[in-house]
Every structure is written in C-alpha cells, then in structure tokens.
Amino acid sequence: MKASIPIIPNVPAAVRTTCPYCGVGCGVKATPRSAVDVAIAGDEAHPSNFGRLCVKGSALGETVGLEGRLLSPKLRDRTTGALSDVSWDDAIGTVASGFARIIDEHGPDAVALYVSGQLLTEDYYVANKLMKGYIGSANIDTNSRLCMSSSVAGHKRAFGEDLVPMNYEDLELADLIVLVGSNTAWCHPILFQRIIKMKEARPDVKIVVIDPRYTATCEMADLHLPLKPGSDVRLFNGLLAFLAEHGATDAAFIDAHTNGYDAALAAAMPADIAQLARDCKLDAHDLMTFYRLFARTERVVTVYSQGVNQSSAGTDKVNSIINCHLATGRIGKPGMGPFSFTGQPNAMGGREVGGLANTLAAHLELDDALHREIVQTFWHSPRIAQRAGLKAVDLFDAIEAGRVKAVWIMGTNPVVSLPDGDRVKRALAKCELVVSSDIIEKTDTNAFADVLLPALGWGEKDGTVTNSERRISRQRAFIPAPGHARADWHIICDVARRMNFDGFEFEGPHQIFDEHARLSAYRNDASDGVPRAFHIGGLTALDRERYDALEPVQWPLRAKDETGAARLFDTQRFSHADGRARFIATPPRAPVNAPDAEYPLVLNTGRVRDQWHTMTRTGRSEKLAGHISESFIDMHPQDALACGVREGELARITSRWGSMIARVQHGGGMPRGSVFVPIHWNDQVASDARAGAVVNPVVDPVSGEPEFKHTPVAVEKFHVMWHGFSFSRDVPALDTVTHWTRVHGARFVRYELAGRNRFDAAHGDHREWARAFFAIDDPHADWIEYEDKSAGIYRAAHVVNDRIEHCIFISERPDLPARAWLASLFSKDYLDDEDRVSLLLGQPVGKGEDTGPTVCSCFGVGRNTICNAIRDKNLKTAADVTACVKAGGNCGSCVPELKKLIVETEMARLSTV
Ligand SMILES: Nc1nc2c(c(=O)[nH]1)N[C@H]1C(S)=C(S)[C@@H](COP(=O)(O)OP(=O)(O)OC[C@H]3O[C@@H](n4cnc5c(=O)[nH]c(N)nc54)[C@H](O)[C@@H]3O)O[C@H]1N2
Ligand SMILES: Nc1nc2c(c(=O)[nH]1)N[C@H]1C(S)=C(S)[C@@H](COP(=O)(O)OP(=O)(O)OC[C@H]3O[C@@H](n4cnc5c(=O)[nH]c(N)nc54)[C@H](O)[C@@H]3O)O[C@H]1N2
Ligand code: SF4
Ligand SMILES: [Mo]
C-alpha cells in the first residue's frame, strides 16, 4: 500500500496566470507548494484553452527552479573575461553612463535595444518609449522581426493596420481549415486540439495542410499538399485565378470594399494548371481538389505561420493568401478569414506598443509626421525618432561594422536565433558595450555580454500579454522574487531615470498599462487624430486591484461598458483612409538562394514538440527531454544515400555561412531535396548543433524577416571512431570529446558523446581516462567495469557507498544500449545485485523490455510500449491506445504520433505476413 501524502495545512490558493510559451495564450492555475515546487493545471475559466494545457504548459512546474538562474547583476572584466557581482546601483550606472557617453559622442543612432515578444506589454512599452521618445532613435527592434513581421507588413498593406481579425471560435465554426506553413500539432497544440475536437464532432469539415514536410499536423488532414519550398505565392495566385475563372468571387464585396483587384489578378497570371502543379511540385489532381474545395466552401479559415512568414517572399505570401479571402468576401464573418497564428506569448502585445524599428506606438506609424506628433505630445517627450531604425539583421550588421556601439538585449538569445549566427558572435565580440537582461546566466548570447542584468521570470513577474486572437490576459506572480532579480520594466525605468529622463516614474505595471491604454485612445478619431482599430480605452484607469483582477479580454474595447470585439471587419470597414481593403499584386519570385551543385539541398528549420526555442527553460525538464533528446538532420533516405550518410550516424551540414553537426534520421516525412533541422540546440547543450549558424541572412525586402526555411546546404558524413554516453551528477570534462549533447535529468546529467580518434589509442588506460573525465579523485573507488578491446567496447560505473555516481558506455559502433533504465538507477539509494549485473552486461536484467524513446511525455510512455500494445492487442485508434497504455490521455499532444505509430505498426505487420 502506498503511504498517504501528508496534508499541508493552509494550502495556498491557485493563482490564475498565463502560459509563457506560445501565442495560444492558455490560462494556467499555479499553486505554489514552495518557492521551487509549483502544481500546474489548466484554467477551466480561460476562453483560450478551457482548462487544457499542452505538454510544455503541463511541465511548467519543472522549470521554475533556481538552477542556472542569473540572480545578481554582473559586470565583465574585458581583459580577463571574468564576471563579478555588482550592486544594482553600479550596474544601472554602467549601462546609463555607457549609453549616454556613446550617444554624446556618436549620436542616438549609435545605440540600440534588441528586445523580445516574450517581454510583457508593460516592459515592452517602456523600452519603446525610452528609445523612440527619449533617446530619440528608432534603433529598437525585436525578435518578432524573425517571427511575425511579414504578417505585420502583409496586414498593413491589405488592411491599413496590423490587424488579425479572427477569433479561436472561428476555427470551430469553419467548414474548411487550410493550414499553411504551420505545424499546428506541435507549435499551437491547444488550438490543434480544438480543431481535432471539432472535426470529431463534424467529420465533414475538411482540413488541408500545405507544408513541404509530412508533419504531425498532417496526421489529421484530409489533404496534404507537399509543395516545393517557397512556392506558396504561386499556389495562392493560382487559387485567385481559379476563383475568378470559376465565378467563385464575390463581385459585390470586391466593388464596395476593396481596391486593386484587377492588378492583383493580372499578376496572378491565370496559369496552365499542369505547369503550375509542376512549379509547385504538386500533383495536379491534388491541387485542383484543393482549389475546388476552397471555391465551394463559404466558411474557410486559412491559418498561416512560419512556413509563410520566414521567407524572402514572406509578405507576398501573406498577401497572396489575404487576396483570396478578399476576392471571396470571406472575412469579418463567423468561421472565415485569414488567421496568422502568433508564435510568442506576447508577439501581439509587442505590436500594440510598436516595438518594431519601423513602427511607433499604439498602432501609429513612424514615417508619418502627424503620428509622430500625436505620440510625442502624449508622452511629453523631449524628442521623437524621425525615421525607421535598423531591423534585426541590419542591426547586427551595423554592430559588426561599428556603426552601432552599444546594444541592450532583453529576453532573447540572438547568437542562437538570428541567421548567420557566427556573424552575430563576431558582431557582439566587437561591440563596445553589450548589455543583456535575462533570467539565465549562461546563454550563448550572455557569453558576449559586458553587463548582465537579472530579470524576474515567469511566476515572479506581473503584467499582461496578448494572444493570437487579440485577447489580453494577465500574467500574475505566484512565487517571490529570487535573489536580486527585478522586473524588466523596473530595470528599464531605472536606466531611463539614471539618464535623467522624466516619464518613467511608475509604481507598478498597472500604471504603465494605464498609460498604454490611454495612448491607444488618445486622438483615436479623424477630428484631431488618426482613427485606428487598436483601442483599449475601456481598460484605462484600472487601479492596482482592478488590474490584478483583470479577466481575459479581447480588443478593441473602446469604452468601459464594452466586452471586447470577437471579430474585426464585421462592418466591412478597413483601416485605410478610404475604408477599403487592398488587394496586393504578388508576382511570384523564387527564393533568393537556390540549391546548386555545391549545396544541392534546401535546409528547412523549425520546432519540435517538447522544446521551446533556445531551451533555457524547457531544457531543464527531464520529462520534456525524453521526447527528442538530441538535435537531428531529417532527410529523405535517398538523399541520405546520395550524401553517403546513414540513419543514426552523425553528419555535418554546411552552407556558405556556417556548419553544424547532428544525427541523421528519416522519420520526419521529408520530401527529396530538403533537409530539416530543429532550431533549439545551442552551444550550452551541444558542441556544434546551432542551426542558426548555417542559415542564410537573406530577408524579405518588405518586412525584413529572415528566410529561415530556405538555405542551400550540403550534407556529409561526420567521421567518428567511437560513440558513447555518460551519466553523472556534475558536468564532466568534455575537452577530449569531439561531439557531445547534454540531456537534462532531475538527478543526473547525461551526455551523448562521440570521438574522432580511436578510443584505445587516444585515451590510453580507460579507467584513468574515465577518472579524469569525471574528475574523480579517489583512486580506491568502487568500479563496475567491462572492456572488450577487440570490439572497442568499454563500460564503467563508479559507485560510492552502493550508490551510482557516474557511468560511461563507449562503443566503436553506434549500437549503444537504451538510456532509460540507466537513468532510473540514479534515483536509487543503492544498487542491488541485479543492477550491478545489468551494468556489466550493458543491458537491463529482469527489468522488462526497453520502453523506447518517450512519445507521451505526460505519462512517460515509450515508443516500444505503444507499438507492442498496438501489435499485441490489435489497437486501431488513438483512443484505443490511450485506453490501453494511457498515452495521449492527458494533454493529447502525442495523439498525431500515436496515429502514425498505428499506421507504421500495421505496415510492419503486413510486410511480415
Ligand atoms: N513546441 C514549440 N512550439 C512553439 C515554439 C517552440 O519553440 N516550440 N515556438 C513558438 C513560436 S515563437 C512560433 S513563431 C511558432 C511557429 O510555429 P510554426 O510556424 O508552426 O513552426 P515551424 O516549425 O517554425 O514551421 C512551420 C512549418 O513550415 C514549414 N515550411 C517550411 N518551408 C515552407 C514553405 O515554403 N511553405 C510552406 N507552406 N511551409 C513551409 C515547415 O516544414 C514547418 O513544418 O511556434 C510557437 N510554438
Ligand atoms: N533557424 C531558425 N531560427 C529561428 C527561427 C526558425 O524557425 N529557424 N524562428 C525564429 C522565431 S519565430 C523566434 S520567435 C526566435 C526565438 O528566439 P529567441 O528569442 O532568441 O529564443 P528564446 O530561447 O525564447 O530566448 C528568450 C531568452 O529570454 C530569456 N528570458 C525568459 N524569460 C525572461 C524574462 O522574463 N525576462 C528576460 N529579460 N529574459 C527572459 C530566456 O532565458 C532566453 O535567453 O527564433 C527565431 N530563430
Ligand atoms: S498551447 Fe501549450 S505552450 Fe501554447 S500557451 Fe497553451 S499550454 Fe502554453
Ligand atoms: Mo516566433
């Protein structure tokens, strides 16, 4: 019988807050049991998720610990490179005087802020105010440039303002959902589940996925169009021409509410369908099926994400999609419209405050004198930036060229996330003053910082975020501020005040939010200002208490008695001065860099299910590490053959800009000619796996968004003589290892290892090498060891007082044993005889079969367990699998993978009968 859990008196109440990861913006209930132990549940009352959380959200409790946190301000000694703790006073003084000196000597454009869609709206608002209204430069850009800027530019061209007209409910009201360049199943999991649920209730609803890869999202699709990378504009131009030709357009809507239709149609060039299909590398029949479906279905939602935005034709891709909705008048009504899914939790909030280098604040524009006058008058600021600042990629070029001499980076990790990442390193190394506000001390970017400022993290800070459907939600603090960390808005205001700027006397985020809300309403009409849809006048004058109690609410919300608009454009009035939307002519362009003989493959980069960006938070969860624990290069088996690499081996991927190393795999549904690499692994967690180092720095000419999905590359075998892995309680000495990846465990750290030289020759006495590797002093330690020199196998476990402390497995072949049972030994207080025999044999004895890599992270169910159950119990549906082995029964993120395993197991069965 299990021991009963002691009941803690005065259990604290759950705090209702918002998930800090994706733009779905799910409500979370957090119940702190101690400063580092928090129970997490979905908030049933939140209208984005109604109580559900995906696997990353569910694992939030594992990421609030203080390990690795930056807890006090630090300055770097430039000669020794050493960091030392300093007081806040010194740190703020160093930043303020450094910025002031450079501004004095070189003008305001010699300094810059590089901020993030993960800042809260209040942080973002004051950063933008400081730069544009007080320093007087627009050199503030954000990682949203890498993320949604093509959508911003596309919306502004079409609608006259950056507006997402939609509502999540529209996904449930649609009869056709087109997902373009969006791996919704992995990147917006809760919206994907809402779509699945709806499809279960209404099986006639059709789902079309347009993505070169066969992703987890495709498991639910009626039709997958694996288009040639970069050919989306052709595909949607073809659709526009088809709609026109087949009388499926809404002439009355086009006449009354739009401009530019004829020019857009002419540029769409009614193409010969067979030729069009060849240009998009699609089956002509499939293409026609999609066109007919779109033409005949009134309620269509077209969702788009990074396969659209992150392209040298990103803005045109966006407009080619919007053109089809305008042509059919399918916008502003329930269940239809173009829907840009935002990536980061506060991508939208950043756009509201105008955090991009070419926008102002409150949806006002930098390049218009009246707009500038409105903002400057409202701020009473000494100056206002007169022209657009440098966009992210240009900004780092200017840093490298020495034109920008000081940069303050907040809440983003550009060494990992910008394209041509090695150039970003060179730029930061040359920069006179690099300041970084982060929650984590050791990041690839912080390695270049002169000043480190400790920010409060999720759970510790207060403010608001806006999700993909314009819904503003509160993030609320539920654990005390650790160490000397301060809220981002607080740090920014401290620096601004030290620079002698007024206008930064805020007592709390509620006052900043109030100013932001008042600016949205200020001169927001044609009489003495500029009318704009972004208006949250109804949220002004909230005192701390009412701000704290703010319920999730959608904008616009012009007056206090309003409830917020579910949908925009319901009056068919757009934000251009004449009230009409614009068709934009989008003549197709090929991606800037095409594959050639030297770099014959196209590199596509993106996300995996259980990691968030540069892994500073999700990388700390053992549960999340189980799904995919190493970076990989996904490619078609025939391409692999042509490159001389095999599944499971290490390969190097090289472009004209840089290279990285990862393990080859075939499971990701890659078409011929493309390879896919995840964006997450970086120098903190792997020796050489930064995808950004390989990516070309080409940008979209309108939005400045990088072409992350299309870099010509070559793949070659990365020769190693041995493979291995180690488990230890501390970080081992990695200098004798050629390639490594760190995998986080709650009670251990695991390294996947590989070496270039023959293990025997290079490492002499194996025990001595292992002792040095783990820095074990005790020469009389208890070792369990096995060695087979002829087969190049070495296994050793170091045991202290019967407890395992370290172990290492080396082999000349990549046929190493499963890791899960070894990990479980690190939770034991002593090893029994069976464990010791298992360690010697290199496989678990009497422990049952290896469960395989984790598929269901919530219940820790492995692939082998699932496949065995499918085969032995003849399971046919994901629900059968859940009933049998629990997988998929909590957050549901793995349901698409369960479906895939059912098909694969059935195929394997058929091939053996
Ligand atoms: N698990 C997880 N979820 C996340 C994040 C995370 O880090 N991890 N990050 C969040 C953020 S900030 C963002 S921006 C979103 C991104 O969410 P998504 O955009 O869904 O994610 P990506 O994996 O970047 O890319 C989407 C798809 O675009 C496809 N693609 C590549 N080239 C083309 C093309 O030319 N045309 C088309 N049609 N498709 C193409 C890729 O194959 C890929 O499957 O995810 C958010 N959610
Ligand atoms: N190759 C390739 N590159 C890409 C993409 C791609 O698809 N392919 N996608 C791009 C996209 S869409 C995005 S959004 C970016 C994301 O890229 P980044 O923004 O660089 O990635 P994150 O890991 O989210 O970085 C957030 C940083 O902020 C810190 N942090 C967390 N909370 C706080 C806080 O409250 N305050 C402060 N000050 N810091 C905090 C974290 O520790 C971390 O260092 O990557 C882009 N880069
Ligand atoms: S879908 Fe997942 S990651 Fe995105 S907000 Fe919801 S719980 Fe967080
Ligand atoms: Mo993003």
Side-chain angles (χ1 to χ4, degrees):
M1 217 180 96
K2 266 189 170 174
S4 63
I5 298 166
I7 295 166
I8 306 168
N10 303 325
V11 176
V15 173
R16 292 175 62 212
T17 182
T18 312
C19 175
Y21 298 129
C22 84
V24 178
C26 295
V28 173
K29 286 192 308 190
T31 315
R33 292 179 289 220
S34 76
V36 292
D37 178 17
V38 179
I40 297 292
D43 180 357
E44 301 83 356
H46 198 289
S48 298
N49 58 318
F50 300 106
R52 301 205 81 168
L53 293 178
C54 79
V55 59
K56 292 186 300 302
S58 307
L60 272 167
E62 277 188 71
T63 65
V64 294
L66 296 185
E67 192 194 329
R69 280 291 295 270
L70 175 64
L71 294 174
S72 58
K74 289 179 196 285
L75 289 188
R76 190 182 305 279
D77 179 327
R78 275 240 165 172
T79 30
T80 64
L83 284 169
S84 49
D85 287 2
V86 293
S87 67
W88 267 114
D89 200 46
D90 284 351
I92 298 292
T94 306
V95 178
S97 63
F99 266 62
R101 180 185 56 77
I102 290 170
I103 293 167
D104 272 356
E105 289 172 12
H106 305 280
D109 288 334
V111 300
L113 303 190
Y114 183 58
V115 303
S116 166
Q118 292 170 71
L119 293 177
L120 305 180
T121 299
E122 295 74 5
D123 306 326
Y124 230 136
Y125 177 87
V126 287
N128 192 52
K129 181 178 180 183
L130 168 63
M131 201 63 198
K132 290 181 183 145
Y134 288 78
I135 290 176
S137 163
N139 276 349
I140 170 169
D141 211 38
T142 142
N143 64 358
S144 288
R145 179 72 58 197
L146 320 178
C147 184
M148 313 312 305
S149 61
S150 297
S151 283
V152 173
H155 294 154
K156 288 212 275 200
R157 292 204 302 193
F159 308 139
E161 191 175 343
D162 173 24
L163 299 172
V164 178
M166 312 291 292
N167 186 323
Y168 294 159
E169 243 176 41
D170 289 321
L171 296 166
E172 286 146 351
L173 298 171
D175 294 318
L176 167 64
I177 297 180
V178 187
L179 300 165
V180 195
S182 161
N183 187 4
T184 323
W186 281 11
C187 296
H188 296 93
I190 293 301
L191 293 183
F192 189 67
Q193 286 182 34
R194 285 180 69 164
I195 295 172
I196 295 174
K197 249 185 141 176
M198 177 271 301
K199 175 125 171 118
E200 278 166 7
R202 294 195 294 131
D204 289 343
V205 173
K206 293 285 182 267
I207 297 174
V208 178
V209 177
I210 303 179
D211 191 314
R213 295 192 296 154
Y214 185 89
T215 61
T217 306
C218 299
E219 295 296 333
M220 302 293 165
D222 298 280
L223 178 64
H224 171 219
L225 297 178
L227 85 173
K228 179 179 170 191
S231 65
D232 304 67
V233 169
R234 279 179 204 281
L235 188 148
F236 282 94
N237 279 354
L239 174 60
L240 184 66
F242 180 93
L243 295 169
E245 198 181 321
H246 293 80
T249 55
D250 181 342
F253 180 89
I254 294 172
D255 276 356
H257 304 298
T258 70
N259 286 338
Y261 174 65
D262 292 339
L265 186 60
M269 284 187 304
D272 161 30
I273 202 83
Q275 183 58 42
L276 178 62
R278 276 196 296 278
D279 289 345
C280 299
K281 276 200 180 161
L282 288 171
D283 180 285
H285 175 77
D286 286 350
L287 190 61
M288 290 306 288
T289 305
F290 168 57
Y291 285 179
R292 286 199 199 97
L293 201 55
F294 194 104
R296 69 164 185 258
T297 315
E298 181 66 4
R299 291 183 170 221
V300 184
V301 175
T302 309
V303 169
Y304 47 95
S305 189
Q306 301 311 11
V308 168
N309 291 319
Q310 291 173 336
S311 156
S312 55
T315 311
D316 279 357
K317 286 188 183 184
V318 169
N319 285 110
S320 69
I321 292 170
I322 295 175
N323 284 347
C324 295
H325 278 271
L326 293 176
T328 47
R330 293 178 192 153
I331 192 162
K333 292 175 236 163
M336 60 186 85
F339 201 164
S340 149
F341 277 1
T342 56
Q344 300 180 90
N346 202 27
M348 280 287 220
R351 285 146 72 170
E352 291 155 16
V353 304
L356 290 159
N358 55 322
T359 57
L360 197 42
H363 282 205
L364 290 162
E365 294 299 325
L366 201 60
D367 57 7
D368 185 306
L370 173 63
H371 293 219
R372 291 198 298 270
E373 183 265 315
I374 292 174
V375 176
Q376 189 176 6
T377 309
F378 178 84
W379 278 343
H380 302 296
S381 64
R383 48 192 80 84
I384 191 91
Q386 295 292 314
R387 58 176 187 280
L390 293 165
K391 298 182 176 129
V393 173
D394 297 338
L395 171 61
F396 281 81
D397 284 353
I399 296 173
E400 198 194 13
R403 292 195 303 280
V404 168
K405 297 171 193 304
V407 62
W408 182 359
I409 298 162
M410 295 176 207
T412 176
N413 196 353
V415 167
V416 189
S417 53
L418 275 171
D420 197 3
D422 291 342
R423 180 160 196 200
V424 176
K425 285 189 178 179
R426 290 195 297 274
L428 291 178
K430 280 173 77 176
C431 189
E432 264 180 52
L433 176 62
V434 178
V435 183
S436 171
S437 303
D438 207 295
I439 59 166
I440 298 296
E441 178 171 342
K442 289 200 169 114
T443 71
D444 290 8
T445 300
N446 286 356
F448 294 89
D450 301 295
V451 187
L452 291 183
L453 303 175
L456 292 182
W458 183 77
E460 300 152 4
K461 59 185 194 172
D462 267 299
T464 54
V465 290
T466 310
N467 73 2
S468 296
E469 54 166 1
R470 290 168 283 104
R471 193 180 298 280
I472 298 171
S473 295
R474 283 281 277 108
Q475 265 196 23
R476 296 184 176 90
F478 53 84
I479 38 182
H484 299 284
R486 283 186 186 168
D488 285 293
W489 67 265
H490 190 168
I491 305 173
I492 298 160
C493 292
D494 284 345
V495 170
R497 282 195 300 261
R498 189 68 69 88
M499 292 177 82
N500 295 320
F501 296 139
D502 53 12
F504 294 89
E505 299 298 331
F506 298 105
E507 280 167 18
H510 64 289
Q511 290 184 343
I512 304 175
F513 185 81
D514 177 55
E515 187 176 305
H516 166 58
R518 283 190 290 111
L519 177 54
S520 79
Y522 181 65
R523 290 166 64 186
N524 189 338
D525 56 52
S527 62
D528 68 338
V530 178
R532 55 235 194 244
F534 175 65
H535 191 316
I536 50 170
L539 298 176
T540 53
L542 300 180
D543 57 16
R544 199 187 291 258
E545 208 171 301
R546 278 185 296 158
Y547 174 76
D548 281 346
L550 184 68
E551 286 295 321
V553 60
Q554 280 176 295
W555 62 257
L557 185 88
R558 304 176 80 87
K560 296 222 178 299
D561 51 1
E562 287 181 10
T563 49
R567 213 162 271 115
L568 299 174
F569 311 143
D570 49 345
T571 60
Q572 287 149 0
R573 210 195 137 72
F574 298 87
S575 297
H576 283 296
D578 59 5
R580 289 165 166 265
R582 300 281 185 277
F583 282 91
I584 303 294
T586 52
R589 283 178 279 133
V592 172
N593 288 310
D596 54 24
E598 205 179 341
Y599 299 102
L601 300 164
V602 170
L603 171 66
N604 173 4
T605 60
R607 288 146 176 85
V608 302
R609 194 189 76 189
D610 289 6
Q611 290 300 341
W612 177 262
H613 296 165
T614 71
M615 301 172 77
T616 63
R617 287 170 287 169
T618 46
R620 293 138 58 96
S621 157
E622 181 171 349
K623 185 161 112 177
L624 297 179
H627 182 233
I628 296 173
S629 50
E630 249 191 316
S631 184
F632 57 83
I633 302 172
D634 213 325
M635 60 199 299
H636 192 281
Q638 276 167 297
D639 284 337
L641 202 65
C643 296
V645 295
R646 288 212 304 230
E647 182 153 45
E649 288 179 349
L650 292 171
R652 186 197 293 276
I653 177 161
T654 311
S655 72
R656 292 201 165 79
W657 294 269
S659 74
M660 62 167 282
I661 294 158
R663 212 170 286 284
V664 174
Q665 69 170 49
H666 301 321
M670 295 305 293
R672 291 274 335 244
S674 286
V675 297
F676 178 86
V677 166
I679 63 174
H680 311 285
W681 279 267
N682 57 74
D683 292 351
Q684 307 304 310
V685 287
S687 50
D688 197 2
R690 250 177 339 116
V694 188
V695 172
N696 58 190
V698 168
V699 299
D700 176 89
V702 184
S703 67
E705 177 150 354
E707 177 129 89
F708 282 120
K709 306 275 191 255
H710 203 285
T711 305
V713 293
V715 174
E716 65 187 334
K717 188 171 164 136
F718 183 73
H719 289 279
V720 290
M721 297 299 284
W722 58 268
H723 302 261
F725 63 82
S726 71
F727 281 84
S728 50
R729 309 263 176 194
D730 299 314
V731 176
L734 294 159
D735 43 344
T736 53
V737 175
T738 318
H739 180 80
W740 55 264
T741 298
R742 192 175 82 204
V743 187
H744 180 88
R747 292 188 175 76
F748 58 82
V749 50
R750 179 179 123 208
Y751 280 82
E752 293 294 317
L753 308 166
R756 274 240 135 144
N757 304 315
R758 269 192 65 100
F759 191 71
D760 269 353
H763 305 303
D765 181 275
H766 292 171
R767 164 100 59 99
E768 280 311 306
W769 179 80
R771 274 186 48 197
F773 182 71
F774 292 125
I776 300 169
D777 289 335
D778 178 7
H780 309 295
D782 179 4
W783 286 86
I784 301 168
E785 246 178 335
Y786 173 86
E787 195 165 353
D788 177 347
K789 286 212 167 180
S790 60
I793 292 173
Y794 177 64
R795 296 194 280 272
H798 169 236
V799 181
V800 176
N801 295 335
D802 284 335
R803 197 174 95 124
I804 188 163
E805 288 296 319
H806 305 93
C807 76
I808 185 147
F809 281 61
I810 306 278
S811 171
E812 278 179 9
R813 294 188 318 192
D815 57 350
L816 295 156
R819 322 293 194 259
W821 66 277
L822 276 161
S824 69
L825 299 184
F826 279 76
S827 312
K828 297 182 99 173
D829 287 335
Y830 67 92
L831 299 181
D832 58 29
D833 290 347
E834 229 168 45
D835 296 328
R836 286 172 179 266
V837 173
S838 303
L839 281 166
L840 261 181
L841 291 177
Q843 57 187 27
V845 176
K847 305 268 188 308
E849 272 182 83
D850 168 29
T851 56
T854 310
V855 173
C856 170
S857 298
C858 294
F859 294 118
V861 191
R863 190 191 150 103
N864 297 352
T865 309
I866 295 167
C867 291
N868 292 345
I870 295 171
R871 197 182 48 241
D872 299 346
K873 309 234 163 76
N874 199 17
L875 308 177
K876 296 286 182 215
T877 65
D880 292 348
V881 176
T882 304
C884 187
V885 294
K886 283 173 91 174
N890 182 39
C891 80
S893 299
C894 64
V895 169
E897 281 148 286
L898 299 182
K899 295 208 162 192
K900 191 172 168 194
L901 292 180
I902 293 168
V903 175
E904 281 178 8
T905 312
E906 177 64 8
M907 304 243 291
R909 192 186 63 80
L910 289 175
S911 66
T912 53
V913 290

